[in-house]
């Protein structure tokens, strides 16, 4: 009776001679990870109303990748948000057993699936929490808790430190808020000190009102998800701590609120970034790029082998790619290819977007080195071109996750993306590094430091 096609399923109750009360048969199609995921999701759809406590998945000769996909799909389905509900019921499911033909063959993929599931869960949890329960300070505390794990450490900078560093763009966004900003510096050291790290930078706007260029009221609540990039960095570190791969990773999270206020940055204000480049803040709602640009400049000190920022950056990216693929921008072919491949493998796909210099035309300003917006056409690309002005010759990629980080409508909630992609990329990268003889590692290129502007003091007030 089972119709053709992955995800088709049938349920049966109290089959004679079988101990479990409920049995679901689900078609896994060609057995690919994507179809295994589909089968698990569909089967769970039939089972969940019975609130099962335990689940036995007969996965036969499933590949490691399919096993990892099944584990992640189940963890995803079993996630329940409870943090701010007075009478929340957690998911009934507390144990899943996977039966496979050769457990040894899929063990490491299984472990990876579990670690990614934990990372996704952490990312979802922080992204789901409302702005008043996920302030920059609370994000920093979450990072501190991660740093209790082996090989993970953290440093948290406050407004004074950030002022001392000359992060005038980041400070400008934060200055309209009563909540103090935090700049979180996470380190995972899984390889020798001399091994150049991958640096991840996550946008951590804990609420984006738009500032003085205020957003319209409908759906503004969803701007609590504007720290999805930061949440994905935290989630990725949780997975790294669990898997302990041989790679060095730095996680940078500039975090603050974007609020309108008597002291808020105003349209037309010119601020000086840490790089020395001046920026005319034409639209205070284009704040993500302002906090990221200073974090990208800060990242230089780590001489990264790759610099990847992750941000719910533009509504334009939602229009371009919807909720299926993240926008991938990169100045480096190998890095772009590695991220594209990792996204495909992790079922967390991206799509390469252009970076032609012609797209930067609109960022020109009469009153500063650049404006912070480039007009409506190709808004996701002009945002990326803005960021590119702060990465010099470093191998850099920008992931615009505005469309994929959360779902709207009835199923409103964070997705935990792109944790699967980032973990996959880092594990792949650890594998590639293991193949390179010591001393021949690809280090970081030197960067032309842009000239400092003299017009304004470097250190922002407040
Ligand atoms: N956080 C938003 C981007 C966003 C919008 C994410 C909608 C998800 C859904 C970002 O800070 C923003 O407001 N961007 C502006 C930029 C514009 C002013 C150039 C946008 O996309 O409208
Ligand atoms: Mn904004
Ligand atoms: Zn934003």
């Amino acid at each position: 009776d089972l119709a053709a096609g992955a995800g088709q399923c049938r349920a049966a109750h109290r089959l004679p001679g079988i101990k479990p009360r409920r049995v679901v048969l689900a078609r896994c199609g060609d057995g690919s990870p994507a179809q295994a995921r589909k089968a698990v999701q569909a089967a769970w759809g039939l089972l969940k109303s019975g609130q099962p406590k335990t689940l036995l998945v007969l996965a036969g000769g499933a590949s490691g990748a399919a096993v990892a996909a099944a584990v992640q799909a189940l963890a995803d389905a079993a996630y329940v948000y409870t943090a701010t509900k007075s009478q929340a019921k957690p998911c009934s499911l507390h144990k899943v057993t996977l039966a496979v033909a050769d457990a040894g063959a899929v063990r490491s993929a299984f472990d990876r699936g579990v670690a990614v599931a934990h990372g996704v869960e952490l990312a979802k949890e922080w992204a789901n929490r409302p702005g008043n329960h996920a302030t920059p300070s609370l994000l920093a505390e979450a990072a501190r808790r991660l740093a209790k794990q082996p090989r993970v450490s953290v440093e948290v900078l406050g407004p004074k430190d950030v002022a001392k560093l000359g992060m005038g763009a980041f400070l400008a966004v934060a200055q309209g808020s009563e909540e103090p900003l935090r700049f979180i510096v996470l380190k995972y050291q899984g390889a020798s000190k001399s091994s150049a790290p991958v640096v991840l930078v996550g946008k951590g706007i804990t609420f984006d009102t738009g500032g003085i260029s205020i957003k319209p009221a409908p759906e503004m609540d969803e701007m609590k998800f504007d720290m999805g990039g930061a949440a994905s960095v935290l989630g990725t570190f949780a997975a790294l701590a669990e898997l302990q791969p041989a790679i060095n990773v730095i996680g940078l999270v500039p975090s603050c609120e974007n609020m309108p206020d008597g002291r808020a940055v105003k349209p037309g204000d010119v601020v000086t970034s840490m790089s020395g480049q001046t920026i005319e803040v034409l639209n205070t709602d284009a704040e993500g790029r302002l906090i990221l640009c200073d974090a990208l400049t800060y990242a230089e000190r780590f001489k990264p082998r790759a610099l990847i920022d992750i941000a719910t950056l533009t509504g334009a990216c939602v229009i371009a790619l919807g909720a299926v693929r993240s926008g991938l921008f990169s100045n480096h072919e190998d890095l772009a290819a590695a991220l594209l491949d990792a996204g495909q493998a992790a079922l967390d796909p991206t799509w390469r977007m252009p970076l032609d210099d012609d797209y930067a035309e609109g960022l020109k300003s009469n009153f500063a080195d650049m404006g912070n917006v480039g007009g409506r056409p190709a808004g996701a690309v002009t945002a990326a071109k803005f960021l590119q002005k702060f990465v010099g010759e470093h191998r850099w990629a920008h992931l615009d996750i505005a469309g994929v980080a959360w779902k709207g409508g009835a199923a409103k909630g964070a997705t935990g993306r792109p944790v699967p992609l980032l973990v996959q990329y880092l594990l792949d990268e650890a594998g590639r590094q293991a193949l390179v003889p010591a001393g021949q590692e690809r280090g970081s290129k030197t960067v032309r430091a842009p000239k400092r502007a003299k017009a304004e003091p470097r250190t922002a007030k407040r």
Side-chain angles (χ1 to χ4, degrees):
D1 291 342
L2 205 52
Q8 290 297 325
C9 31
R10 286 269 163 183
H13 284 251
R14 299 191 185 278
L15 290 176
I18 291 181
K19 206 172 152 200
R21 267 182 298 168
R22 294 152 64 88
V23 173
V24 171
L25 291 178
R27 276 204 193 268
C28 296
D30 61 5
S32 66
Q35 303 214 335
R37 175 168 76 176
K38 213 169 170 187
V40 164
Q41 285 167 340
W44 179 253
L46 289 183
L47 287 167
K48 67 180 176 201
S49 58
Q51 302 190 343
K53 291 196 185 71
T54 61
L55 198 59
L56 172 65
V57 182
L58 303 177
S63 68
V67 163
V71 167
Q72 285 170 238
L74 277 168
D76 204 55
Y79 171 84
V80 180
Y81 175 80
T82 62
T84 49
K85 289 189 168 181
S86 65
Q87 286 167 346
K89 258 202 304 191
C91 182
S92 60
L93 189 64
H94 63 81
K95 185 176 172 189
V96 176
T97 307
L98 258 110
V100 292
D102 184 352
V106 299
R107 182 88 228 173
S108 72
F110 175 82
D111 291 343
R112 175 167 50 80
V114 171
V116 170
H118 287 150
V120 164
E121 186 187 357
L122 186 78
K124 278 188 183 181
E125 184 57 34
W126 277 104
N128 279 335
R129 289 191 186 183
N132 62 333
H133 291 263
T135 60
S137 307
L138 288 169
L139 280 189
E141 278 175 33
R144 284 213 168 91
R145 281 193 292 279
L146 280 173
K148 294 209 168 99
Q149 302 188 69
R151 292 171 158 180
V152 184
S153 59
V154 72
E155 201 186 336
V156 177
L157 309 186
K160 280 185 191 150
D161 311 299
V162 164
K164 213 173 280 169
L165 285 164
M167 294 183 166
F170 181 15
L171 282 164
V173 176
Q175 78 190 30
S177 169
E178 295 292 326
E179 283 293 335
L181 68 79
R182 289 291 180 264
F183 186 60
I184 304 166
V185 183
L186 272 162
K187 292 184 187 164
Y188 168 78
Q189 204 193 327
S192 76
K193 281 224 161 81
S194 62
S195 168
V198 172
V199 178
L200 305 177
V201 181
K203 173 178 172 182
I205 294 289
T206 57
F207 197 81
D208 181 12
T209 65
I212 297 298
S213 314
I214 199 162
K215 288 180 181 295
E219 289 169 10
M220 206 211 271
D221 65 289
E222 294 189 5
M223 284 300 131
K224 71 173 183 176
F225 295 117
D226 211 16
M227 32 60 74
S232 76
V233 172
L234 296 181
T236 299
F237 269 74
L240 289 173
E242 200 167 320
L243 294 169
Q244 298 280 309
I247 187 171
N248 292 336
V249 185
I250 304 283
L252 303 178
V253 173
S255 180
C256 66
E257 290 181 336
N258 186 22
M259 299 288 282
D261 180 71
R263 280 189 292 184
V265 67
K266 305 174 293 299
D269 282 2
V270 174
V271 299
T272 305
S273 66
M274 184 181 177
S275 73
Q277 297 175 99
T278 61
I279 305 160
E280 185 183 13
V281 182
L282 288 162
N283 188 321
T284 66
D285 198 12
E287 85 297 339
R289 60 198 78 182
L290 295 174
I291 70 168
L292 289 170
C293 71
D294 281 339
L296 289 170
T297 301
Y298 185 86
E300 265 172 29
R301 68 187 56 203
F302 300 105
K303 303 200 176 356
R305 74 174 59 236
L307 175 54
I308 304 169
D309 73 74
I310 308 106
T312 50
L313 203 63
T314 65
C317 194
V318 187
I319 301 302
L321 298 173
V324 180
R325 289 177 186 263
S326 304
L328 164 65
F329 301 82
S330 182
N331 61 359
H332 194 280
E333 296 308 310
D334 293 353
L335 178 58
L339 286 166
L340 266 171
D341 289 350
Q344 287 305 122
L347 305 184
D348 187 1
T350 66
W351 193 256
R352 183 105 184 247
M353 302 280 278
L355 278 173
D356 305 72
D357 283 337
D358 287 345
Y359 284 111
E361 281 299 306
L363 292 171
K364 287 189 172 145
S365 160
N366 289 351
F367 304 105
D369 299 343
M370 69 193 87
N372 75 329
V373 292
R376 269 167 61 81
V381 188
T382 53
K385 289 307 287 182
F386 178 93
L387 294 177
Q388 196 181 11
K389 292 179 185 286
F390 297 86
V391 299
E393 300 297 316
H394 283 287
R395 288 163 22 114
W396 160 75
H398 157 59
L399 293 166
D400 193 331
I401 59 165
V404 306
W406 74 88
K407 293 188 188 116
K412 189 187 285 184
T415 61
R417 289 179 68 183
V419 170
L421 155 69
L422 294 171
V423 174
Q424 180 80 43
Y425 165 76
L426 291 170
L427 295 182
D428 291 350
E429 185 61 24
R432 280 189 290 269
Q433 284 178 32
L435 300 174
V436 180
Q440 289 180 32
E441 293 149 335
R442 225 192 309 220
S444 149
K445 290 179 189 155
T446 42
V447 184
R448 290 170 280 133
K451 281 185 211 116
R452 284 192 190 290
K454 283 160 219 136
E456 237 188 287
R458 253 189 91 204
T459 312
K461 284 150 227 130
R462 189 176 185 186

